[in-house]
Amino acid sequence: MKAGIIGLSSVGKTTIFNVLNQGKAVIAPAGSRRQEPNVGIVKVPDPRLEYLFTVFHPEKETHATVEFVDVQGLVRGKGQDLALAPVRTVDALVHVIRAFEDDSVPHPDGSIDPQRDRQNLDFELIVADLATIEKRMERLEKDLKKLKNPALEKEHACLIRAKAWLESEKPLREMEMSDDEKKLVKGFSFLSEKPVIYVENIGEDQLDRLRHPLGSTGLRPNTEAAVICGKLEAEMAELPREEMQTFLTDYGLSESGAERLIRTTYRLLGLISFFTVGEEECRAWTIVRGTHAQNAAGVIHTDLQDHFIRAEVCSYDDFKTHGSMHALKEKGLLRLEGKEYVVKDGDILNIRHGG
Ligand SMILES: Nc1nc2c(ncn2[C@@H]2O[C@H](COP(=O)(O)OP(=O)(O)O)[C@@H](O)[C@H]2O)c(=O)[nH]1
Ligand SMILES: [Mg+2]
C-alpha cells in the first residue's frame, strides 16, 4: 500500500518525508525542481507489537509497513501531468499544506493561507481528472458511433455522471458509486478519487495546536486531517529514543507527529494489522479491514491459504491480560475459527494447515 505526498513547492513535503523515513532524501533548495520522486518504506509504529517483542524475545521483529512517495512540488495551473504521474499509482494522498511563517522560504502565492492552498490543490486534482475524462470520452464517442456496445455505453454513462460531478467542483471521493461504477472508475486512477490526509505543517511558534488534536468533525468523506511541525520533527528525529520520549512528555504529547501521521495513513487506507508470534519471529501483517481468515493466511504464504484448515485466534487484549498462550488455552480464550472468520485488528493468529 502506497501513499503519495503532494503539495505546492516548499511547503515541507521532503522535510516530512525524511522525518517519516528517518532518512535523508535530498531537500531541494527552495525554487529548484527535481524530477525523480523519493520513495521510502516506513514502519508502522505499534505499541502492541512492541509488547509482544518483550514477551517472546523473537530473533526477528517485523513491523507492518507503508510506502511513501515524495513527488516534486506542484505548480498551480501549469498542467500537472508530469508532476502527478508518480501519484497516479498510489492508494492515498498526503497533502502537505504550509502554515509556518518563514520569510526565508518563499511561497508561490506570496502569503500564508492554508485554507486557500488546500482548496487550490483540490481544484487541481479535479481539473486533472476532468482532462482524463474528456480524453476518454472523445475516444468512446467515436467508438460508440461505429458500434453499439453495452459495456461501452455503461462506461459512457458513468463518465458523464463523473464529469458533471467534477464540474460542480466536487472531488470523486465524495461521489456515491455502485460497485460496477467503482470498478470502472478504478481503471482510470483518478486523483480526486483517492482518499486524502490534509497535513498542516505548522511553525515552531504554533506548537500549542499539537495539543488540540483535530476531531473528525467537519471532515469530508474519505479524508483525515493532521497537524505536524516539520522542523521540530526533523530535530526530534535526530535524538536518541529516550530523549525523544522526554521531549514529547515535556510538550505534553504521547507520540511524535511522524508516528501519528503514519498511523493515520494506515487507517485512511482501510488497513488493519494481525499478528503472528513465536520465538523465531513476531510480526504484524497488513490486511484490508473485512478480510477473511483464509485470505489473511494467504498474506503470510499462499501455501497457508491453499491448505488452510483452521485459524487459532485470540485477541491482543486477551493475550495481554492473561500473559501467555498457555493461560489463554486453559481459560478457553483461544478460539478455532474457519476460513470465513473476519479477522479483527490486533488478532493473534496461528494458521493450522494441511500443507
Ligand atoms: N520554518 C520552517 N521551515 C520549514 C518547515 N518545514 C520545512 N521548512 C523549510 O522549507 C523549505 C522547503 O522544505 P522542503 O521540505 O524541501 O519542501 P518541499 O518543496 O515541499 O519538498 C526548506 O528550506 C525547509 O527547511 C517548518 O516547519 N518551519
Ligand atoms: Mg521536495
Side-chain angles (χ1 to χ4, degrees):
M1 284 289 187
K2 255 203 286 198
I5 304 177
I6 60 167
L8 296 172
S9 61
S10 301
V11 294
K13 295 184 299 300
T14 304
T15 305
I16 289 171
F17 173 85
N18 280 334
V19 166
L20 293 173
N21 280 283
Q22 299 173 322
K24 299 277 163 271
V26 183
I27 296 193
S32 73
R33 320 261 300 140
R34 268 171 26 88
Q35 297 299 313
E36 321 83 68
N38 297 309
V39 179
I41 311 265
V42 174
K43 279 186 196 171
V44 179
D46 192 334
R48 300 171 302 183
L49 190 60
E50 302 296 335
Y51 173 77
L52 293 173
F53 293 159
T54 65
V55 174
F56 289 93
H57 304 287
E59 283 166 35
K60 208 166 152 204
E61 303 179 341
T62 314
H63 286 80
T65 57
V66 178
E67 193 174 334
F68 283 89
V69 185
D70 167 33
V71 290
Q72 62 181 6
L74 305 182
V75 182
R76 283 215 297 119
K78 287 249 175 93
Q80 307 294 346
D81 276 7
L82 183 75
L84 291 176
V87 183
R88 293 253 171 224
T89 59
V90 304
D91 306 290
L93 303 175
V94 176
H95 177 182
V96 179
I97 303 164
R98 175 167 170 184
F100 68 86
E101 302 268 356
D102 187 339
D103 292 338
S104 68
V105 181
H107 188 292
D109 289 321
S111 64
I112 308 300
D113 186 343
Q115 179 96 346
R116 172 201 64 201
D117 290 353
R118 193 195 60 186
Q119 284 170 355
N120 280 346
L121 202 132
D122 264 343
F123 188 71
E124 292 295 327
L125 302 181
I126 288 172
V127 172
D129 286 349
L130 270 173
T132 307
I133 290 187
E134 272 158 20
K135 217 159 114 195
R136 175 64 189 148
M137 285 204 10
E138 223 173 273
R139 172 90 245 165
L140 209 52
E141 278 160 15
K142 263 190 206 151
D143 290 351
L144 277 170
K145 266 188 203 138
K146 283 185 227 145
L147 177 77
K148 290 266 171 260
N149 168 326
L152 292 187
E153 274 170 359
K154 214 164 160 188
E155 184 183 348
H156 192 240
C158 173
L159 290 182
I160 285 182
R161 204 162 85 78
K163 183 163 174 265
W165 187 268
L166 290 165
E167 279 168 348
S168 68
E169 297 186 21
K170 284 183 288 201
L172 289 174
R173 76 178 86 86
E174 293 180 11
M175 191 169 109
E176 284 197 28
M177 288 185 241
S178 67
D179 287 347
D180 276 358
E181 284 178 318
K182 272 186 201 148
K183 244 185 246 161
L184 242 167
V185 157
K186 215 178 166 92
F188 290 98
S189 306
F190 287 124
L191 296 170
S192 76
E193 206 226 338
K194 298 180 191 295
V196 58
I197 309 178
Y198 299 108
V199 180
E200 255 189 272
N201 188 12
I202 57 170
E204 283 166 294
D205 51 345
Q206 300 166 287
L207 292 182
D208 54 326
R209 289 196 51 199
L210 293 175
R211 277 184 292 271
H212 305 287
L214 303 161
S216 50
T217 44
L219 280 176
R220 312 289 309 168
N222 293 318
T223 69
E224 296 265 359
V227 173
I228 202 169
C229 176
K231 199 147 196 179
L232 179 76
E233 294 284 331
E235 283 162 22
M236 225 156 50
E238 306 276 319
L239 298 175
R241 212 176 154 73
E242 299 82 63
E243 277 180 47
M244 183 164 135
Q245 209 50 56
T246 319
F247 193 96
L248 287 171
T249 314
D250 287 352
Y251 277 103
L253 302 170
S254 57
E255 62 179 348
S256 74
E259 287 175 322
R260 207 173 49 241
L261 182 53
I262 297 165
R263 287 200 299 100
T264 308
T265 307
Y266 202 65
R267 188 174 64 229
L268 184 71
L269 287 166
L271 303 177
I272 58 172
S273 299
F274 71 89
F275 306 115
T276 53
V277 295
E279 281 162 16
E280 265 175 51
E281 186 181 30
C282 285
R283 177 161 183 169
W285 301 87
T286 300
I287 49 172
V288 174
R289 193 178 285 283
T291 300
H292 290 171
Q294 187 168 16
N295 294 331
V299 175
I300 304 174
H301 201 288
T302 43
D303 282 353
L304 296 188
Q305 182 167 9
D306 294 344
H307 305 289
F308 181 94
I309 297 173
R310 285 277 187 279
E312 225 168 39
V313 186
C314 71
S315 73
Y316 169 81
D317 288 337
D318 282 347
F319 180 81
K320 183 138 192 223
T321 309
H322 298 279
S324 74
M325 288 297 171
H326 184 75
L328 287 174
K329 213 171 246 171
E330 288 202 327
K331 298 253 182 259
L333 291 170
L334 210 53
R335 292 166 278 135
L336 271 184
E337 301 281 4
K339 58 185 178 187
E340 304 280 341
Y341 170 71
V342 176
V343 178
K344 313 264 180 322
D345 187 34
D347 275 352
I348 301 175
L349 257 58
N350 178 25
I351 306 297
R352 298 288 193 80
H353 58 100

